[in-house]
mmCIF file of all heavy atoms in Angstrom:
data_model
loop_
_atom_site.group_PDB
_atom_site.id
_atom_site.type_symbol
_atom_site.label_atom_id
_atom_site.label_comp_id
_atom_site.label_asym_id
_atom_site.label_seq_id
_atom_site.Cartn_x
_atom_site.Cartn_y
_atom_site.Cartn_z
ATOM 1 N N ALA A 710 122.376 83.842 117.929
ATOM 2 C CA ALA A 710 123.055 85.181 117.865
ATOM 3 C C ALA A 710 122.885 85.837 116.502
ATOM 4 O O ALA A 710 122.615 87.020 116.450
ATOM 5 C CB ALA A 710 124.496 85.058 118.297
ATOM 6 N N TRP A 711 123.113 84.973 115.500
ATOM 7 C CA TRP A 711 122.953 85.565 114.178
ATOM 8 C C TRP A 711 121.531 86.126 113.902
ATOM 9 O O TRP A 711 121.321 87.109 113.309
ATOM 10 C CB TRP A 711 123.307 84.514 113.114
ATOM 11 C CG TRP A 711 122.904 84.917 111.656
ATOM 12 C CD1 TRP A 711 121.839 84.541 110.958
ATOM 13 C CD2 TRP A 711 123.546 86.168 111.000
ATOM 14 N NE1 TRP A 711 121.839 85.223 109.806
ATOM 15 C CE2 TRP A 711 122.816 86.224 109.842
ATOM 16 C CE3 TRP A 711 124.646 87.008 111.289
ATOM 17 C CZ2 TRP A 711 123.175 87.104 108.861
ATOM 18 C CZ3 TRP A 711 124.989 87.940 110.360
ATOM 19 C CH2 TRP A 711 124.192 88.001 109.142
ATOM 20 N N HIS A 712 120.558 85.271 114.357
ATOM 21 C CA HIS A 712 119.148 85.741 114.134
ATOM 22 C C HIS A 712 118.886 87.061 114.840
ATOM 23 O O HIS A 712 118.031 87.825 114.347
ATOM 24 C CB HIS A 712 118.182 84.655 114.701
ATOM 25 C CG HIS A 712 117.973 83.552 113.661
ATOM 26 N ND1 HIS A 712 117.084 83.613 112.585
ATOM 27 C CD2 HIS A 712 118.523 82.346 113.591
ATOM 28 C CE1 HIS A 712 117.119 82.580 111.902
ATOM 29 N NE2 HIS A 712 117.926 81.727 112.449
ATOM 30 N N GLU A 713 119.523 87.271 116.061
ATOM 31 C CA GLU A 713 119.293 88.591 116.701
ATOM 32 C C GLU A 713 119.954 89.726 115.843
ATOM 33 O O GLU A 713 119.320 90.780 115.666
ATOM 34 C CB GLU A 713 119.922 88.574 118.080
ATOM 35 C CG GLU A 713 119.751 89.822 118.855
ATOM 36 C CD GLU A 713 118.332 90.209 119.139
ATOM 37 O OE1 GLU A 713 117.470 89.412 118.981
ATOM 38 O OE2 GLU A 713 118.120 91.460 119.354
ATOM 39 N N VAL A 714 121.120 89.453 115.281
ATOM 40 C CA VAL A 714 121.767 90.465 114.408
ATOM 41 C C VAL A 714 120.924 90.669 113.234
ATOM 42 O O VAL A 714 120.631 91.782 112.814
ATOM 43 C CB VAL A 714 123.174 90.024 114.018
ATOM 44 C CG1 VAL A 714 123.747 90.983 112.961
ATOM 45 C CG2 VAL A 714 124.079 89.909 115.163
ATOM 46 N N GLY A 715 120.342 89.599 112.713
ATOM 47 C CA GLY A 715 119.497 89.714 111.495
ATOM 48 C C GLY A 715 118.295 90.462 111.745
ATOM 49 O O GLY A 715 117.712 91.196 110.887
ATOM 50 N N ARG A 716 117.756 90.350 112.952
ATOM 51 C CA ARG A 716 116.421 91.085 113.336
ATOM 52 C C ARG A 716 116.759 92.560 113.332
ATOM 53 O O ARG A 716 115.883 93.331 112.855
ATOM 54 C CB ARG A 716 115.987 90.672 114.689
ATOM 55 C CG ARG A 716 114.728 91.308 115.171
ATOM 56 C CD ARG A 716 114.399 90.892 116.634
ATOM 57 N NE ARG A 716 115.364 91.460 117.465
ATOM 58 C CZ ARG A 716 115.345 92.766 117.955
ATOM 59 N NH1 ARG A 716 114.469 93.589 117.394
ATOM 60 N NH2 ARG A 716 116.206 93.184 118.750
ATOM 61 N N ILE A 717 117.949 92.969 113.656
ATOM 62 C CA ILE A 717 118.245 94.419 113.782
ATOM 63 C C ILE A 717 118.654 94.898 112.376
ATOM 64 O O ILE A 717 118.232 96.082 111.936
ATOM 65 C CB ILE A 717 119.505 94.610 114.734
ATOM 66 C CG1 ILE A 717 119.074 94.167 116.119
ATOM 67 C CG2 ILE A 717 119.890 96.101 114.683
ATOM 68 C CD1 ILE A 717 120.153 94.116 117.166
ATOM 69 N N LEU A 718 119.408 94.101 111.558
ATOM 70 C CA LEU A 718 119.952 94.593 110.328
ATOM 71 C C LEU A 718 119.139 93.891 109.137
ATOM 72 O O LEU A 718 119.579 94.092 108.009
ATOM 73 C CB LEU A 718 121.368 94.264 110.136
ATOM 74 C CG LEU A 718 122.317 94.952 111.249
ATOM 75 C CD1 LEU A 718 123.816 94.460 111.080
ATOM 76 C CD2 LEU A 718 122.098 96.455 111.181
ATOM 77 N N GLY A 719 118.124 93.223 109.407
ATOM 78 C CA GLY A 719 117.468 92.418 108.426
ATOM 79 C C GLY A 719 116.973 93.156 107.191
ATOM 80 O O GLY A 719 116.959 92.538 106.118
ATOM 81 N N HIS A 720 116.677 94.448 107.319
ATOM 82 C CA HIS A 720 116.177 95.121 106.086
ATOM 83 C C HIS A 720 117.321 95.370 105.002
ATOM 84 O O HIS A 720 117.020 95.694 103.889
ATOM 85 C CB HIS A 720 115.543 96.514 106.552
ATOM 86 C CG HIS A 720 116.468 97.472 107.202
ATOM 87 N ND1 HIS A 720 116.975 97.260 108.396
ATOM 88 C CD2 HIS A 720 116.966 98.647 106.778
ATOM 89 C CE1 HIS A 720 117.714 98.211 108.756
ATOM 90 N NE2 HIS A 720 117.769 99.032 107.776
ATOM 91 N N PHE A 721 118.515 95.043 105.396
ATOM 92 C CA PHE A 721 119.602 95.176 104.489
ATOM 93 C C PHE A 721 119.904 93.912 103.689
ATOM 94 O O PHE A 721 120.131 93.864 102.517
ATOM 95 C CB PHE A 721 120.851 95.717 105.075
ATOM 96 C CG PHE A 721 120.820 97.136 105.558
ATOM 97 C CD1 PHE A 721 120.886 97.416 106.852
ATOM 98 C CD2 PHE A 721 120.609 98.151 104.557
ATOM 99 C CE1 PHE A 721 120.834 98.785 107.231
ATOM 100 C CE2 PHE A 721 120.511 99.477 105.007
ATOM 101 C CZ PHE A 721 120.673 99.831 106.346
ATOM 102 N N PHE A 722 119.923 92.806 104.462
ATOM 103 C CA PHE A 722 120.410 91.546 103.796
ATOM 104 C C PHE A 722 119.691 90.305 104.334
ATOM 105 O O PHE A 722 120.055 89.142 103.846
ATOM 106 C CB PHE A 722 121.936 91.439 103.921
ATOM 107 C CG PHE A 722 122.374 91.438 105.355
ATOM 108 C CD1 PHE A 722 122.395 90.253 106.064
ATOM 109 C CD2 PHE A 722 122.851 92.649 105.902
ATOM 110 C CE1 PHE A 722 122.815 90.339 107.423
ATOM 111 C CE2 PHE A 722 123.292 92.587 107.179
ATOM 112 C CZ PHE A 722 123.255 91.446 107.996
ATOM 113 N N TYR A 723 118.737 90.410 105.281
ATOM 114 C CA TYR A 723 118.275 89.247 105.990
ATOM 115 C C TYR A 723 117.023 88.733 105.499
ATOM 116 O O TYR A 723 116.864 87.608 105.158
ATOM 117 C CB TYR A 723 118.224 89.602 107.450
ATOM 118 C CG TYR A 723 117.851 88.404 108.303
ATOM 119 C CD1 TYR A 723 118.717 87.482 108.564
ATOM 120 C CD2 TYR A 723 116.656 88.367 108.962
ATOM 121 C CE1 TYR A 723 118.488 86.365 109.409
ATOM 122 C CE2 TYR A 723 116.348 87.332 109.827
ATOM 123 C CZ TYR A 723 117.168 86.323 110.090
ATOM 124 O OH TYR A 723 116.857 85.307 110.854
ATOM 125 N N CYS A 724 116.009 89.571 105.267
ATOM 126 C CA CYS A 724 114.565 89.115 104.940
ATOM 127 C C CYS A 724 114.354 89.188 103.497
ATOM 128 O O CYS A 724 114.402 90.257 102.977
ATOM 129 C CB CYS A 724 113.591 89.868 105.776
ATOM 130 S SG CYS A 724 113.811 89.939 107.540
ATOM 131 N N GLU A 725 113.978 88.095 102.937
ATOM 132 C CA GLU A 725 113.653 88.057 101.480
ATOM 133 C C GLU A 725 112.286 88.668 101.143
ATOM 134 O O GLU A 725 112.038 89.228 100.133
ATOM 135 C CB GLU A 725 113.732 86.661 100.921
ATOM 136 C CG GLU A 725 115.137 86.047 100.822
ATOM 137 C CD GLU A 725 114.938 84.595 100.286
ATOM 138 O OE1 GLU A 725 113.870 83.989 100.425
ATOM 139 O OE2 GLU A 725 116.062 84.109 99.767
ATOM 140 N N ASP A 726 111.425 88.515 102.121
ATOM 141 C CA ASP A 726 109.971 88.922 101.892
ATOM 142 C C ASP A 726 109.551 90.053 102.839
ATOM 143 O O ASP A 726 109.988 90.157 103.959
ATOM 144 C CB ASP A 726 109.063 87.758 102.188
ATOM 145 C CG ASP A 726 109.096 86.721 101.025
ATOM 146 O OD1 ASP A 726 109.733 87.042 99.961
ATOM 147 O OD2 ASP A 726 108.502 85.703 101.213
ATOM 148 N N ALA A 727 108.677 90.891 102.310
ATOM 149 C CA ALA A 727 108.021 91.885 103.146
ATOM 150 C C ALA A 727 106.483 91.552 103.125
ATOM 151 O O ALA A 727 106.034 90.855 102.210
ATOM 152 C CB ALA A 727 108.242 93.340 102.519
#
Side-chain angles (χ1 to χ4, degrees):
W711 169 253
H712 277 280
E713 179 61 20
V714 172
R716 185 185 65 78
I717 298 169
L718 300 178
H720 61 292
F721 290 116
F722 57 84
Y723 185 70
C724 305
E725 289 179 336
D726 287 350

